[in-house]
Amino acid sequence: MTSKYDVAIIGAGIVGAACAREAVRAKLKTAIIEAKIIGGGATAAGMGHLVVMDDSEAQFALTRFSCKLWRELKEELPGTVEYDACGTIWIATDDEEMAEVHRKENYYRGRGVAVEVLDAKSLGDAEPNLRPGLLGGLRVPNDSVIYPPCAAKFFVDLAVAAGAEMFLGKQVASIDDDKVHLDDGSSISAGVVVNAAGSWSPSLTKGIDVKKRKGHLLITDRYPKFLKHQLVELGYLKSAHSVTSDSVAFNIQPRKTGQMLIGSSRQYGVESSEIDQGIMRRMLARALEYMPGLGQLSSIRSWTGFRAATPDKLPLIGPDVRQKRLYLATGHEGLGITTSVGTARLLFDQILSHRSEIPFEAYLPQRYST
């Protein structure tokens, strides 16, 4: 059996779900194909940090644009999404990192992002459970936190209510020009196909430079008021740049439930989804260096997930270089939650030949073509 749609979106994680919402906003007849569950995969494994990043001009542009879109959406989001404008504090432990605080301050201010430099005392006042002796930090007050699986479900529900058809539990076997072939022998025909399958996207689109990057997270029991902001060590930036070695960094997030998510770790070349006890011990030891009081609290669960990473830390957003009807929305690594809505907007601006709010050339898949 063959069905006909304007667009078929493969993957109902946060990126695919945001693409589905964007498709129905454009009045396109839409199919959403998901092998497992809505908001699963990296979406279920992620922290849900909506953060402006400045690793490159292109990363900054996409994260700032996406955070703006999230803020515009926040009044529509149901309570289950747990939108919390808690802000981020980037923490400095030494003079080198404090110099990075001031560099980031100048960079953000120069581009219209609100920031506040904290000295040692104001950092301690903002987060009393941090250890003494830290030099300061940079507060980015408009960064936020959400619960990603429920955000993905919200987007999919909106799309379905607007007429999109959900193919849940359907595994994609292959993509052939204007058809998505399922492993049950059926196919879905569409004018455009979007590969938003995250870390599984290379199995469907051969030749794209996307690799799995494993991460660990742990969630605590409920401890209201222990933590107010998302806290990230500035050393996180160094660990995030590594593409060969395992790394850990202090990254902790408050949840509206009173729980806290503790991260983070990065591993390449690992296929097993099991907890790596060595990595977990290193990650928690790093967290205790910054917040010793965490050692007195109880955790209730830990897990892993796989992020889809590209060599230049930028996602692939746009047409595939080999199949003219295939578009890619993948390779977001640790920023898929933040950039999902921006990705969807830029992707459909290209599909519909609309003028985009920010340039999209830096994210085009053709940058890796030879």
Side-chain angles (χ1 to χ4, degrees):
M1 176 184 292
T2 299
S3 302
K4 179 66 178 178
Y5 297 88
D6 296 320
V7 58
I9 297 165
I10 304 170
I14 190 71
V15 173
C19 287
R21 172 183 171 269
E22 204 65 41
V24 298
R25 287 180 73 241
K27 311 296 186 186
L28 301 177
K29 187 177 181 183
T30 303
I32 310 163
I33 309 159
E34 171 54 53
K36 295 182 179 178
I37 63 171
I38 297 168
T43 299
M47 294 186 89
H49 190 192
L50 306 181
V51 55
V52 178
M53 296 285 284
D54 64 337
D55 194 44
S56 66
E57 289 287 352
Q59 185 190 76
F60 174 81
L62 183 57
T63 55
R64 179 177 61 170
F65 175 53
S66 297
C67 284
K68 179 181 80 74
L69 294 178
W70 276 112
R71 286 193 296 272
E72 292 171 357
L73 269 170
K74 68 180 181 180
E75 299 304 325
E76 300 176 35
L77 298 174
T80 55
V81 175
E82 298 179 20
Y83 187 100
D84 183 6
C86 61
T88 303
I89 299 179
W90 294 90
I91 299 172
T93 62
D94 55 29
D95 290 337
E96 180 185 3
E97 291 181 355
M98 203 63 203
E100 176 65 7
V101 162
H102 291 293
R103 186 204 65 79
K104 286 174 74 71
E105 175 199 15
N106 292 332
Y107 184 96
Y108 281 35
R109 284 192 194 280
R111 290 158 178 80
V113 176
V115 292
E116 177 189 5
V117 173
L118 306 178
D119 60 17
K121 181 182 183 305
S122 55
L123 176 62
D125 291 342
E127 291 291 347
N129 286 305
L130 284 168
R131 69 168 171 85
L134 298 169
L135 263 65
L138 185 74
R139 176 157 44 197
V140 188
N142 290 326
D143 285 352
S144 304
V145 164
I146 61 167
Y147 183 52
C150 286
K153 185 177 185 302
F154 172 66
F155 289 154
V156 168
D157 287 347
L158 282 179
V160 170
E165 188 167 356
M166 184 79 219
F167 293 83
L168 195 59
K170 300 295 185 180
Q171 182 75 47
V172 175
S174 64
I175 305 168
D176 179 19
D177 194 23
D178 63 342
K179 289 186 177 63
V180 178
H181 299 285
L182 306 180
D183 63 359
D184 63 5
S186 65
S187 63
I188 296 170
S189 179
V192 165
V193 176
V194 176
N195 182 350
S199 61
W200 301 106
S201 56
S203 67
L204 301 176
T205 305
K206 304 300 181 184
I208 61 174
D209 202 348
V210 173
K211 293 181 172 61
K212 290 182 180 180
R213 204 171 194 183
K214 183 179 179 180
H216 289 67
L217 284 176
L218 176 144
I219 192 164
T220 71
D221 208 338
R222 297 170 187 254
Y223 299 98
K225 300 182 181 178
F226 188 91
L227 178 70
K228 300 174 185 177
H229 302 81
Q230 175 109 18
L231 304 181
V232 190
E233 65 162 296
L234 278 162
Y236 173 92
L237 302 174
K238 302 171 189 174
S239 72
H241 291 168
S242 172
V243 297
T244 55
S245 60
D246 296 348
S247 62
V248 300
F250 173 58
N251 189 348
I252 187 168
Q253 178 185 99
R255 302 302 305 273
K256 282 197 168 182
T257 58
Q259 296 170 288
M260 290 169 282
L261 276 180
I262 300 174
S264 63
S265 70
R266 283 175 162 80
Q267 292 175 283
Y268 268 127
V270 179
E271 294 295 328
S272 171
S273 61
E274 293 183 1
I275 299 289
D276 183 322
Q277 295 299 335
I279 288 287
M280 184 62 75
R281 283 193 294 270
R282 285 175 56 193
M283 192 178 80
L284 294 179
R286 190 66 174 168
L288 290 172
E289 288 180 29
Y290 284 82
M291 300 189 91
L294 289 171
Q296 306 303 312
L297 310 184
S298 297
S299 65
I300 59 174
R301 187 167 72 93
S302 58
W303 65 92
T304 67
F306 291 94
R307 313 174 185 101
T310 64
D312 64 2
K313 313 296 188 300
L314 295 175
L316 305 178
I317 308 172
D320 180 58
V321 296
R322 297 169 184 83
Q323 299 185 60
K324 62 181 181 180
R325 298 190 186 186
L326 174 64
Y327 282 72
L328 302 176
T330 186
H332 297 80
E333 219 264 297
L335 290 170
I337 310 302
T338 294
T339 58
S340 57
V341 289
T343 291
R345 184 66 56 83
L346 292 184
L347 188 76
F348 279 89
D349 283 344
Q350 293 177 62
I351 291 170
L352 300 168
S353 299
H354 291 170
R355 182 176 180 179
S356 60
E357 188 168 331
I358 66 170
F360 54 73
E361 286 75 13
Y363 322 110
L364 291 175
Q366 69 185 34
R367 69 186 187 271
Y368 288 128
S369 64
T370 56

